[in-house]
């Protein structure tokens, strides 16, 4: 079994789900007392969020690259970055290590292709929704990406940072997310990517009319399967 190197803490709430999922999948596949071999490097999210807000992406990349180097030195065979947004600096991190990074957007694109999704709604931080580092991985696979309007981008982004990342899950915000998803479905979205690892704390499949692709579950599951291949 390969050892998974996890860069977590962004936020720690969703990192808990990652740890649960990789162990659950390994248990289901191998049975008995099996669990995942993994090493977690949990960063201080306050430092990362401050870099995001100031546009200091290279600095945040240095912080995560240091984490990746430590994971490699500790025996990790590959790395997962337990957040969508910070895959913006995935190439910067990869340049510092010799072990592969399992990219969350590439894994998600693969799941969409398996489900013959050609047009998908993307929810996440404003960086993930508006910038190309994430969407390009989907577009390269022939998948059209729909994002909310400017006002709703702010609704989604504010909910992530001011509520979900702080462990607050509000029914009012859930209703807003459902409205946004259904409006994107009306525009032709055949599914919705929960492109922030915290959104799965708020939205479930039974809440909306189109298929939900929770990147936390997809990414963690793929990591577990890769580890036991």
């Amino acid at each position: 079994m390969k050892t998974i190197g996890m860069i977590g803490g962004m936020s720690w709430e969703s990192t808990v789900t990652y740890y649960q999922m990789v162990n659950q999948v390994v248990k289901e596949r191998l049975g008995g007392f099996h669990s995942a071999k993994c090493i977690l490097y949990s960063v201080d999210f306050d430092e990362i969020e401050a870099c995001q807000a100031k546009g200091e992406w290279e600095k945040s990349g240095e912080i995560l690259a240091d984490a990746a180097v430590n994971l490699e030195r500790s025996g990790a065979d590959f790395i997962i970055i337990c957040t969508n947004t910070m895959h913006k600096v995935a190439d910067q991190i990869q340049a510092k290590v010799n072990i592969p990074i399992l990219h969350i957007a590439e894994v998600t694109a693969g799941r969409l292709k398996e489900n013959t999704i050609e047009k998908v709604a993307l929810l996440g931080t404003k960086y993930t929704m508006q910038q190309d580092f994430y969407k390009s991985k989907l577009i390269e696979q022939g998948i059209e990406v729909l994002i909310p309007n400017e006002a709703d981008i702010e609704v989604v982004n504010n909910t992530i940072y001011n509520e979900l990342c702080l462990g607050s899950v509000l029914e009012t915000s859930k209703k807003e997310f459902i409205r946004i998803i259904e409006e994107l479905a009306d525009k032709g979205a055949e599914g919705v990517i929960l492109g922030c690892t915290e959104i799965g704390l708020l939205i479930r499949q039974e809440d909306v009319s189109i298929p939900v692709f929770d990147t936390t579950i997809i990414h963690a599951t793929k990591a577990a399967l890769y580890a036991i291949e």
Side-chain angles (χ1 to χ4, degrees), residues 150-160 173 176-177 179-180:
E150 291 292 331
D152 285 340
I153 284 174
E154 291 303 317
V155 170
V156 173
N157 190 72
N158 289 336
T159 301
I160 290 168
S173 295
E176 281 288 88
F177 271 57
R179 174 188 62 78
I180 292 167

Side-chain angles (χ1 to χ4, degrees), residues 55-131:
E56 295 177 345
W57 294 101
E58 185 173 353
K59 181 179 178 181
S60 65
E62 291 172 358
I63 295 170
L64 299 190
D66 285 344
V69 169
N70 277 286
L71 288 170
E72 183 175 27
R73 288 173 178 168
S74 299
D77 294 304
F78 68 99
I79 288 171
I80 55 173
I81 308 166
C82 302
T83 169
N84 286 269
T85 298
M86 293 314 299
H87 279 75
K88 179 177 174 67
V89 295
D91 290 343
Q92 183 181 347
I93 300 168
Q94 183 66 81
K96 296 294 185 180
V97 294
N98 298 307
I99 55 177
I101 294 173
L102 197 63
H103 198 292
I104 195 169
E106 293 176 355
V107 171
T108 299
R111 181 65 64 85
L112 294 172
K113 295 289 283 186
E114 290 172 5
N115 287 270
T116 65
I117 300 293
E118 297 180 350
K119 183 182 291 188
V120 71
L122 173 63
L123 301 185
T125 66
K126 61 183 179 182
Y127 314 109
T128 299
M129 291 187 284
Q130 293 178 321
Q131 298 180 18

Side-chain angles (χ1 to χ4, degrees), residues 106-195:
E106 293 176 355
V107 171
T108 299
R111 181 65 64 85
L112 294 172
K113 295 289 283 186
E114 290 172 5
N115 287 270
T116 65
I117 300 293
E118 297 180 350
K119 183 182 291 188
V120 71
L122 173 63
L123 301 185
T125 66
K126 61 183 179 182
Y127 314 109
T128 299
M129 291 187 284
Q130 293 178 321
Q131 298 180 18
D132 291 333
F133 70 91
Y134 194 96
K135 292 185 290 186
S136 63
K137 298 292 185 181
L138 305 173
I139 294 169
E140 286 169 5
Q141 295 298 316
I143 301 166
E144 184 179 348
V145 181
L146 302 180
I147 62 173
N149 59 42
E150 291 292 331
D152 285 340
I153 284 174
E154 291 303 317
V155 170
V156 173
N157 190 72
N158 289 336
T159 301
I160 290 168
Y161 282 105
N162 298 328
E163 297 173 21
L164 299 178
C165 285
L166 299 175
S168 179
V169 181
L170 303 180
E171 188 64 28
T172 51
S173 295
K174 180 174 183 174
K175 290 178 180 177
E176 281 288 88
F177 271 57
I178 292 171
R179 174 188 62 78
I180 292 167
I181 293 169
E182 295 299 344
E183 287 180 2
L184 291 169
D186 290 341
K187 294 179 180 178
E190 301 164 342
V192 58
I193 297 172
L194 306 187

Side-chain angles (χ1 to χ4, degrees), residues 19-88:
Y19 185 76
Q20 290 175 328
M21 283 302 304
V22 294
N23 281 289
Q24 181 177 319
V25 172
V26 169
K27 168 73 173 178
E28 290 173 352
R29 291 302 179 103
L30 300 183
F33 293 110
H34 283 290
S35 57
K37 294 173 64 178
C38 57
I39 306 167
L40 171 63
Y41 191 114
S42 188
V43 301
D44 180 359
F45 188 39
D46 187 75
E47 294 180 23
I48 301 300
E49 192 279 329
C51 290
Q52 292 175 346
K54 296 174 184 176
E56 295 177 345
W57 294 101
E58 185 173 353
K59 181 179 178 181
S60 65
E62 291 172 358
I63 295 170
L64 299 190
D66 285 344
V69 169
N70 277 286
L71 288 170
E72 183 175 27
R73 288 173 178 168
S74 299
D77 294 304
F78 68 99
I79 288 171
I80 55 173
I81 308 166
C82 302
T83 169
N84 286 269
T85 298
M86 293 314 299
H87 279 75
K88 179 177 174 67

